[in-house]
Amino acid sequence: MALINDNYLKLKAGYLFPEIGRRVKAFAEANPQAKVIRLGIGDVTRPLPPVILKAFHDAVDDLSRVDTFAGYGPEQGYDWLIDAVIEKSYKPLGVSLRTNEVFISDGSKCDCANILDIFALDNRVAIGDPVYPVYNDTNVMIGRTGDADEKGYYQGIVYLPCTEANHFIPSLPSEKADIIYLCFPNNPTGAVATREELKKWVDYALANNAVIFFDAAYEAFITDPSIPHSIYEVEGARRCAIEFRSFSKTAGFTGVRCGLVVIPEELTGATAAGEPYSLNRLWLRRTTTKFNGASYPVQRAAAAVYTDEGWRQTKEVIDYYMENARIIREGLAAAGLTVYGGVNAPYIWLKTPNGLTSWDFFDRLLTECHVVGTPGSGFGPSGEGFFRLSAFGNRENVEEAVDRIRKNLK
Ligand code: MLT
């Protein structure tokens, strides 16, 4: 009999968002008259901006003609997209990247998971708590951890609590970590890191020969000009950080699928013999072996984000979502709830009222207000007592959800 990967059996429950979907479906079936408003998973609702859509359509048409047909592209992405990313997204930050340092993919979730392929299992990994569940669960799946304790902490992972007391910014680990996941603007808390904060992490990583996985999926939602959009804005980060970016929330690509990974040439890990080895080279080897590239029309659509008009239209959509964030944040604060995030991030992180657990609040919100959010405890034990609302809904729904919460949750 074929043996399974037993590490999967260590996982506590189903993945968070399908579990929420299951509960909402059961509620909707039992209450067909209820108009359920979904502010749970961070899934976008605005259509693709016209310039991007046109580029997408045109690229599909390219496939219909012999002279413009595109088959396999470069596994790591087309240069015309990579160079547009570097020029429009990194250069204005004062960050210089080479074409071979950027890898285009079919989304950041896969990248955050797949990156583990090129690191040995006996690395010590540090992650925030609460955290985007992919970081934790993929380390469990790959076999880097022992079992979870009764709270949900897995043996072998260093958890960095992000609490009200530390403004949801983790402290440096007290034990040595080799790989550190940082996500700013943060999913789920909406917290952002200043340059000084990021420098602390870069200094730690350089001093400990650690690698930072910097998830910048929400950088486009930063409104405060002093907050860095990329870890490479910090001196020394090229020698210790891998950055992940996504078109999902930035440009409405949750259903289209496109992301990118940056691995600077000078970033190295160590072989078992202690010799430095290029992580860029390893990732290229992995990518060319296991991936045939994001699809041609998707990459053409992604490149259109960086045209002047595409950039403007994309920004308009981001502003729309950030106005939603303001409506939720201010509306709930006016209703007496304690709210965080929603200023430089599309997530609002609220404290559950009357000491309710996150899942009890989820049930209450669903049954009394017909509004779906995400229980904070689903992101890790330190998320207990908190709740996340996404700003990616349409305006009418967001306003109605806030109104219902205000009226019902007194
Ligand atoms: C979330 O709601 O946390 C995100 O949409 C999940 C994701 O990006 O995979």
Side-chain angles (χ1 to χ4, degrees):
M1 196 184 298
L3 298 175
I4 62 161
N5 177 353
D6 268 352
N7 295 309
Y8 278 59
L9 308 183
K10 296 176 192 161
L11 294 165
K12 279 294 145 211
Y15 187 61
L16 177 62
F17 294 106
E19 172 62 20
I20 291 171
R22 196 186 55 71
R23 292 190 188 210
V24 175
K25 186 163 177 273
F27 175 82
E29 277 167 9
N31 301 276
Q33 78 300 339
K35 183 192 163 207
V36 176
I37 297 177
R38 291 173 167 78
L39 304 179
I41 189 166
D43 195 5
V44 294
T45 53
R46 305 306 294 160
L48 292 180
V51 167
I52 297 169
L53 198 61
K54 176 160 186 327
F56 206 172
H57 278 295
D58 288 351
V60 172
D61 287 343
D62 285 349
L63 301 180
S64 72
R65 291 184 298 267
V66 170
D67 55 333
T68 50
F69 179 77
Y72 290 130
E75 291 87 346
Q76 66 274 37
Y78 287 99
D79 285 0
W80 37 258
L81 173 55
I82 294 174
D83 291 342
V85 170
I86 292 173
E87 198 59 30
K88 275 282 179 53
S89 224
Y90 281 98
K91 210 167 162 191
L93 305 174
V95 174
S96 306
L97 294 174
R98 299 178 195 103
T99 309
N100 68 339
E101 294 177 322
V102 179
F103 298 78
I104 304 297
S105 72
D106 57 354
S108 203
K109 184 181 191 176
C110 321
D111 289 336
C112 291
N114 292 334
I115 196 72
L116 297 181
D117 266 16
I118 63 166
F119 289 91
L121 276 188
D122 39 16
N123 283 303
R124 192 83 159 160
V125 165
I127 62 175
D129 165 34
V131 78
Y132 180 39
V134 171
Y135 312 155
N136 185 76
D137 290 5
T138 54
N139 276 285
V140 176
M141 288 169 166
I142 205 167
R144 182 166 287 122
T145 74
D147 288 325
D149 65 17
E150 68 290 346
K151 278 180 132 175
Y153 290 128
Y154 286 86
Q155 281 163 14
I157 289 189
V158 178
Y159 290 94
L160 308 170
C162 303
T163 63
E164 267 182 310
N166 61 17
H167 308 286
F168 307 105
I169 304 285
S171 305
L172 294 174
S174 47
E175 48 191 307
K176 186 177 172 330
D178 306 300
I179 294 173
I180 301 147
Y181 288 79
L182 294 179
C183 172
F184 291 114
N186 188 259
N187 176 15
T189 66
V192 282
T194 60
R195 194 175 299 269
E196 296 66 42
E197 191 61 44
L198 289 184
K199 180 167 179 344
K200 224 170 68 185
W201 287 97
V202 168
D203 290 347
Y204 173 93
L206 292 174
N208 290 278
N209 289 323
V211 173
I212 296 171
F213 292 171
F214 190 75
D215 185 347
Y218 299 95
E219 59 79 28
F221 297 86
I222 292 173
T223 55
D224 177 344
S226 72
I227 300 293
H229 287 242
S230 165
I231 192 147
Y232 303 118
E233 290 178 64
V234 176
E235 174 71 32
R238 285 183 56 90
R239 284 179 286 127
C240 66
I242 294 175
E243 182 161 293
F244 302 88
R245 287 199 177 191
S246 168
F247 290 84
S248 286
K249 319 295 157 86
T250 308
F253 274 43
T254 53
V256 175
R257 310 306 309 145
C258 197
L260 63 94
V261 186
V262 180
I263 309 189
E265 275 184 329
E266 52 267 63
L267 178 56
T268 56
T271 64
E275 296 298 322
Y277 197 93
S278 160
L279 293 177
N280 178 293
R281 196 165 155 199
L282 273 189
W283 186 244
L284 179 66
R285 186 67 175 85
R286 191 239 171 240
T287 302
T288 49
T289 303
K290 292 196 176 184
F291 189 51
N292 263 331
S295 87
Y296 167 77
V298 164
Q299 292 192 63
R300 280 287 184 207
V305 172
Y306 300 102
T307 59
D308 289 346
E309 190 51 16
W311 199 248
R312 196 190 59 72
Q313 292 177 2
T314 300
K315 179 81 178 68
E316 252 174 41
V317 179
I318 291 170
D319 290 347
Y320 175 96
Y321 292 133
M322 289 312 286
E323 174 61 7
N324 284 350
R326 186 195 63 75
I327 292 168
I328 299 173
R329 188 169 41 83
E330 292 182 1
L332 300 188
L337 290 168
T338 304
V339 290
Y340 299 97
V343 176
N344 290 296
Y347 294 123
I348 289 82
W349 187 240
L350 62 96
K351 205 168 170 169
T352 59
N354 311 317
L356 285 178
T357 68
S358 301
W359 276 108
D360 284 349
F361 187 71
F362 172 88
D363 287 335
R364 219 180 133 194
L365 209 60
L366 181 59
T367 53
E368 294 177 24
C369 306
H370 305 166
V371 171
V372 181
T374 309
S377 56
F379 296 103
S382 295
E384 183 56 277
F386 287 87
F387 198 78
R388 194 193 77 176
L389 289 173
S390 143
F392 290 115
N394 71 50
R395 180 66 44 77
E396 198 188 316
N397 282 348
V398 162
E399 284 171 344
E400 191 173 334
V402 171
D403 207 42
R404 288 187 200 168
I405 296 172
R406 210 191 282 133
K407 288 187 179 131
N408 285 286
L409 285 185
K410 288 271 161 62

